[in-house]
């Protein structure tokens, strides 16, 4: 019933570092190509577990421009989530550096005394997690407002912004419902709205539509395209669907099997604004699909082999034990 | 029955939808009945299933009248002399001795005294339990410092430390309140701590990525996340509180339900003892309902 040796590193961590600020050291100045938003330089991530080391990412490098929509595809377990968590400041890479160029966030605010320049409290990143992550103890609306509340946005404005995004995800009728009254897809839509409402400089999305049914997925892709084409916010979108990557992305990063690194980067030069339904029949779309599928299938096969050899090794180890008796 | 007939039935039903009747039906072959599995509609409830079924009238009626039924059987057995009335009393006798204690206000007074001790002890114990539980759940150094002590003292029966409590807090009200508080404290503490430790780590990540401060984290994740477990602890604690109050009122008390029961025992007044027991069970029932109501208000997101 009670075990005093139980530790809970997650709780300890949150008290130690809250987000980017304390995690990152900042260099005095850095030469980066104009328009760079994110520069990932030779990062590796090693997880040390009781079973041994797991190399999740190895020597990964890429750049993302301001206002670019980049999709990431790769075999499952190749380190996509790990990469996103590092970018969100939830995890730290074992080696290498990540540089994120912060926006000015200066805007003119009209006050009674006249206009003044104010530094906005706009957050650097917001993340949509792959798994269920809406707070069960908050209503849909309270969940969507969460980031704004943490930033101290006044209640009225918070409510207005939240209502807007709740309407966008089609949950207006459920604004005051608790998550246990929602389907899995509705919860995932709520967490998408929560990230959007927070108005970050960079959106990080980890297979956000993976659990949705086809109809809702297309609707949300369409909605995401519409919003993004309006705001041109830098976005990194992980998906297991090549279709989805091509529909949404300016570029697609294809990752290798674990240890994950960049295998290829494909430019998606399909014109915008895009229509989800029209895209799939275009010859250029099909060509791109074939290119990415060719690259990706190699890695998926490699992953399978890796898993098989691991199983074999485990089996031989077991039989070794048996022969020792 | 042939295919032709099946086709006709479908038409006769006038199912909605366009062009539902397909040509294929008319050309279909005859299939003998033993090659067809028919999935029938559910049977309509019969008279006997409505009475004797799992959700029948009998079950529902029994649920409400069974206590009365037991009283009746008890009374009959007492009247027939199958049980010793001097030891086991009888419902009619208990009722007879219930009336005067109720009318004189004596029962009410004893109940009030006990309720006061229970509520006070419960509040002190649960408040301390929740606070320390949250601290131990959230801060590993505090958990490491106090954990072994809690683990070592929790298994000691609270009844066994009553003499110690009497020595430390005297014979007055304080010692009774403390006894109840100590019992409640441990259960609430351990539940609260477990509740905090077991909060899904994804919610910590969400709080962190949305820039929650320490205070925000306590109020928007740790506390609400642990609340269901805290309430489980409060309910267990209430049971223990009732148990302990009777024991605490055994010694050095001049009022309370427990005192009343023990006094009746001394004077071999069986009926009065039963009056105290019934009072106790009603009290426990009401307090548990109160906690249920409180839980619904405090944890509106829980499926009830
Ligand atoms: N906290 C962790 N501890 C140990 N291993 C981990 C941890 N997180 C991820 N991994 C391992 O790192 C690899 C990559 O995981 P992940 O980034 O979740 O992959 P993906 O999102 O591409 O499916 C996997 O082999 C996984 O088991
Ligand atoms: Mg993943």
């Amino acid at each position: 019933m009670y075990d005093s040796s139980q530790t809970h590193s997650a709780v300890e961590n949150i008290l130690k570092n809250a987000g980017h600020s304390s995690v990152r050291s900042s260099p005095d100045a850095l030469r980066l190509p104009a328009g760079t938003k994110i520069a990932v330089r030779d990062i590796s991530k090693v997880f040390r577990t009781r079973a041994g080391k797991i190399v999740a990412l190895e020597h990964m490098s890429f750049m993302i421009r301001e206002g670019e929509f980049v999709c990431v595809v790769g075999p499952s377990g190749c380190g996509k989530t790990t990469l996103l968590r590092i970018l969100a400041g939830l995890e730290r890479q074992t080696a290498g550096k990540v540089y994120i160029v912060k926006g000015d966030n200066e805007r003119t605010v009209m006050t009674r005394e006249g206009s003044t320049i104010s530094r906005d409290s706009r957050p650097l990143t917001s993340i949509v997690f792959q798994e269920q992550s809406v707070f069960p103890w908050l209503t849909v609306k309270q969940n969507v407002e969460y980031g704004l509340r943490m930033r101290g946005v006044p209640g009225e404005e918070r409510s207005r912004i939240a209502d807007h995004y709740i309407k966008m995800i089609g949950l207006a009728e459920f604004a005051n419902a608790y998550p246990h009254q929602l389907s899995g897809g509705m919860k995932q839509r709520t967490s998408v709205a929560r990230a959007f409402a927070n108005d970050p400089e960079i959106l990080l999305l980890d297979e956000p539509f993976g659990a949705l049914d086809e109809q809702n997925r297309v609707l949300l892709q369409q909605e995401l395209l519409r919003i993004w084409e309006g705001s041109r916010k830098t976005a990194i979108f992980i998906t297991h669907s090549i279709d989805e990557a091509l529909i949404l992305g300016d570029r697609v990063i294809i990752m290798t099997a674990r240890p994950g690194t960049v295998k290829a980067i494909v430019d998606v030069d399909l014109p915008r604004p895009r229509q989800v339904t029209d895209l799939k029949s275009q010859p250029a779309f099909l060509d791109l699909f074939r290119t990415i599928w060719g690259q990706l299938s190699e890695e998926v096969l490699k992953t399978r082999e890796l898993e098989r050899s691991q199983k074999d090794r485990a089996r031989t180890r077991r039989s070794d034990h048996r022969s020792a008796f | 029955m042939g295919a032709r007939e099946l086709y006709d039935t479908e038409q006769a039903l006038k199912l909605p939808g366009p062009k539902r009747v397909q040509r294929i039906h008319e050309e279909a072959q005859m299939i003998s009945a033993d090659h067809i599995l028919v999935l029938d509609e559910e049977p309509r409830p019969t008279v006997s299933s409505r009475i004797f079924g799992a959700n029948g009238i009998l079950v529902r009626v029994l649920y409400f009248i069974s206590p009365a039924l037991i009283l009746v059987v008890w009374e009959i057995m007492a009247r027939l002399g199958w049980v010793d009335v001097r030891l086991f009393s009888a419902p009619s006798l208990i009722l007879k001795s219930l009336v005067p204690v109720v009318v004189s206000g004596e029962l009410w007074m004893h109940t009030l005294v006990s309720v006061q001790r229970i509520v006070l002890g419960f509040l002190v114990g649960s408040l301390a339990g929740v606070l320390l539980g949250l601290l131990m759940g959230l801060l590993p150094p505090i958990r490491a410092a106090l954990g072994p002590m809690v683990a070592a003292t929790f298994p000691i029966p609270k009844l066994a430390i009553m003499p110690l409590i009497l020595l430390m807090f005297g014979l007055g009200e304080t010692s009774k309140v403390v006894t109840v508080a100590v019992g409640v404290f441990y259960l609430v503490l351990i539940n609260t701590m477990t509740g905090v430790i077991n909060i899904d780590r994804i919610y910590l990540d969400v709080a962190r990525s949305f820039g929650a401060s320490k205070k925000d984290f306590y109020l928007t994740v740790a506390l609400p996340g642990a609340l269901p477990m805290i309430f489980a602890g409060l309910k267990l604690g209430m049971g223990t509180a009732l148990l302990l109050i009777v024991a605490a009122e055994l010694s050095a008390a001049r009022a309370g339900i427990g005192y009343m029961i023990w006094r009746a025992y001394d004077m071999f007044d069986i009926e009065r003892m039963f009056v105290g027991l019934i009072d106790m069970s009603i009290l426990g029932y009401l307090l548990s309902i109160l906690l249920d109501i409180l839980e619904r208000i405090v944890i509106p997101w829980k499926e009830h």
Side-chain angles (χ1 to χ4, degrees):
Chain A
M1 184 171 190
Y2 169 72
D3 175 12
S4 65
S5 71
Q6 229 167 349
T7 57
H8 200 249
S9 57
V11 181
E12 296 152 36
N13 281 344
I14 186 153
L15 302 174
K16 278 187 202 139
N17 43 30
H20 289 287
S21 50
S22 56
V23 182
R24 297 286 181 264
S25 56
S26 40
D28 293 337
L30 208 68
R31 279 180 77 85
L32 288 169
T36 301
K37 187 68 183 173
I38 301 171
V40 173
R41 280 280 159 268
D42 201 26
I43 61 165
S44 300
K45 175 71 189 178
V46 181
F47 288 109
R48 278 165 233 284
T49 65
R50 243 168 271 153
K53 280 193 212 169
I54 297 175
V55 184
L57 297 173
E58 197 167 49
H59 302 303
M60 191 176 197
S61 297
F62 60 88
M63 304 262 264
I64 289 174
R65 284 183 288 272
E66 170 89 56
E68 201 178 14
F69 199 120
V70 174
C71 291
V72 179
V73 295
S76 72
C78 76
K80 303 183 293 293
T81 297
T82 305
L83 171 68
L84 217 62
R85 287 176 62 86
I86 290 172
L87 294 178
L90 292 172
E91 204 100 56
R92 294 175 73 168
Q93 68 275 19
T94 313
K97 287 264 187 272
V98 177
Y99 304 104
I100 300 179
V101 180
K102 289 190 231 172
D104 286 340
N105 283 341
E106 277 180 2
R107 61 172 183 179
T108 313
V109 181
M110 297 300 288
T111 62
R112 222 168 288 163
E113 292 77 34
S115 65
T116 53
I117 303 285
S118 104
R119 271 198 86 79
D120 207 347
S121 66
R122 213 176 141 200
L124 202 53
T125 62
S126 288
I127 183 166
V128 178
F129 291 92
Q130 185 173 6
E131 66 262 54
Q132 199 296 105
S133 70
V134 297
F135 293 121
W137 47 86
L138 299 181
T139 63
V140 168
K141 186 163 176 182
Q142 290 168 335
N143 264 292
V144 174
E145 285 183 355
Y146 190 77
L148 300 167
R149 196 171 129 207
M150 293 304 107
R151 280 159 50 195
V153 175
E156 226 168 88
E157 193 184 348
R158 217 159 68 195
S159 171
R160 190 179 51 72
I161 297 171
D163 284 340
H164 171 79
Y165 285 99
I166 289 170
K167 215 167 124 199
M168 179 201 97
I169 55 162
L171 286 183
E173 279 170 53
F174 291 88
N176 294 317
Y178 283 101
H180 77 84
Q181 297 164 288
L182 307 180
S183 70
M186 288 155 99
K187 286 183 212 166
Q188 197 55 5
R189 275 142 71 194
T190 304
S191 81
V192 170
R194 180 172 63 189
F196 270 91
N198 203 28
D199 189 30
E201 289 181 41
I202 301 166
L203 268 172
L204 303 170
L205 305 112
D206 194 355
E207 305 197 23
F209 305 154
L212 295 186
D213 57 90
E214 183 73 22
Q215 293 91 315
N216 266 309
R217 181 160 48 237
V218 172
L219 280 174
L220 275 171
Q221 285 169 350
Q222 194 69 65
E223 198 58 41
L224 183 57
L225 274 177
R226 198 181 62 75
I227 301 168
W228 184 82
E229 279 163 0
S231 68
R232 298 271 167 166
K233 207 187 272 290
T234 312
I236 301 183
F237 189 106
I238 290 174
T239 172
H240 56 246
S241 154
I242 301 175
D243 272 356
E244 191 166 69
L246 292 176
I247 287 165
L248 299 171
D250 293 319
R251 284 191 297 153
V252 178
I253 296 180
I254 304 162
M255 286 178 67
T256 63
R258 193 165 58 83
T261 188
V262 176
K263 176 171 174 91
I265 297 181
V266 175
D267 283 311
V268 183
D269 36 19
L270 299 168
R272 290 183 192 271
R274 295 175 183 169
Q275 278 294 323
V276 175
T277 40
D278 301 346
L279 274 172
K280 295 189 188 179
S281 54
Q282 288 182 21
F285 184 92
L286 296 173
D287 280 345
L288 284 165
F289 187 96
R290 244 174 258 129
T291 310
I292 296 177
W293 172 247
Q295 299 271 352
L296 194 57
S297 55
E298 278 177 30
E299 295 307 316
V300 174
L301 288 176
K302 236 187 261 173
T303 306
R304 281 198 196 168
E305 249 159 59
L306 196 81
E307 279 164 6
R308 195 173 318 128
S309 68
Q310 267 169 354
K311 220 181 284 166
D312 287 346
R313 223 178 301 143
R315 204 174 301 137
T316 33
R317 217 178 296 140
R318 260 201 306 279
S319 53
D320 284 352
H321 281 302
R322 228 173 283 136
S323 60
F325 281 105
Chain B
M1 185 204 264
R4 182 72 222 178
E5 229 177 301
L6 212 61
Y7 164 81
D8 287 342
T9 324
E10 198 183 330
Q11 238 188 2
L13 283 172
K14 292 246 181 309
L15 297 172
K19 294 260 176 198
R20 85 217 113 74
V21 184
Q22 290 165 7
R23 288 274 148 221
I24 197 150
H25 281 304
E26 283 182 78
E27 286 144 28
Q29 80 225 70
M30 301 285 281
I31 301 169
S32 78
D34 24 317
H35 282 103
I36 297 175
L37 171 68
V38 182
L39 302 177
D40 282 325
E41 60 275 62
E42 62 177 352
R44 297 178 57 191
T46 62
V47 174
S48 83
S49 79
R50 248 180 255 176
I51 296 173
F52 300 108
N55 262 320
I57 295 168
L58 187 68
V59 168
R60 271 178 279 174
V61 168
L62 264 180
Y63 184 83
F64 284 106
I65 66 162
S66 67
L69 212 63
I70 287 168
L71 290 180
V72 169
V73 171
W74 181 4
E75 182 69 35
I76 291 172
M77 282 170 51
R79 295 272 166 106
L80 292 178
W82 291 357
V83 296
D84 191 341
V85 187
R86 286 168 306 173
L87 291 178
F88 294 98
S89 190
S92 58
L93 295 175
I94 296 168
L95 195 69
K96 221 181 280 168
S97 83
L98 178 68
V99 174
V101 271
V102 170
V103 171
S104 70
E106 196 189 339
L107 186 67
W108 184 238
M109 183 274 289
H110 284 305
T111 309
L112 218 59
V113 168
S114 287
V115 166
Q116 205 171 13
R117 290 169 180 159
I118 291 173
V119 169
L120 217 60
F122 186 79
L123 283 180
V124 170
S126 54
L127 209 67
V130 167
L131 282 178
L132 201 62
L134 284 175
L135 282 175
M136 285 177 71
L138 288 165
L139 306 171
I142 295 192
R143 186 157 73 242
L146 301 180
M149 216 142 71
V150 172
T153 51
F154 172 57
I156 300 174
K158 301 305 160 283
L159 293 177
I161 55 168
M162 269 184 52
L164 193 65
I165 291 175
L166 283 177
L167 281 178
M168 289 184 347
F169 296 95
L171 302 177
E173 282 304 286
T174 321
S175 62
K176 279 132 205 111
V177 172
V178 168
T179 306
V180 171
V182 169
V184 174
F185 169 76
Y186 276 96
L187 292 169
V188 174
L189 166 70
I190 288 169
N191 271 272
T192 304
M193 186 178 67
T194 312
V196 173
I197 289 175
N198 288 335
I199 293 173
D200 205 331
R201 78 160 288 165
I202 184 77
Y203 301 125
L204 314 188
D205 283 343
V206 174
R208 233 170 103 195
S209 73
F210 282 98
S213 66
K214 250 188 230 186
K215 187 182 130 244
D216 289 332
F217 172 71
Y218 293 145
L219 292 180
T220 66
V221 180
L223 188 61
L227 265 181
M229 277 298 279
I230 291 176
F231 260 89
L234 291 178
K235 285 176 182 174
L236 285 173
M238 187 53 89
T240 306
L242 292 171
L243 198 99
L244 287 173
I245 195 66
V246 176
E249 285 170 353
L250 163 64
S251 52
R254 250 166 246 107
I257 306 175
Y259 165 79
M260 193 178 123
I261 294 171
W262 288 113
R263 279 285 289 181
Y265 168 79
D266 286 340
M267 312 190 21
F268 209 68
D269 187 347
I270 305 292
E271 283 74 33
R272 233 176 127 84
M273 262 170 71
F274 272 108
V275 167
L277 291 177
I278 292 166
D279 190 24
M280 204 73 208
S281 83
I282 292 173
L283 182 63
Y285 184 63
L286 291 180
L287 285 172
S288 80
I289 288 179
L290 195 74
L291 274 181
D292 279 341
I293 294 172
L294 201 67
E295 186 179 24
R296 268 161 212 267
I297 295 169
V298 177
I299 316 184
W301 63 87
K302 204 177 152 193
E303 290 166 86
H304 288 287

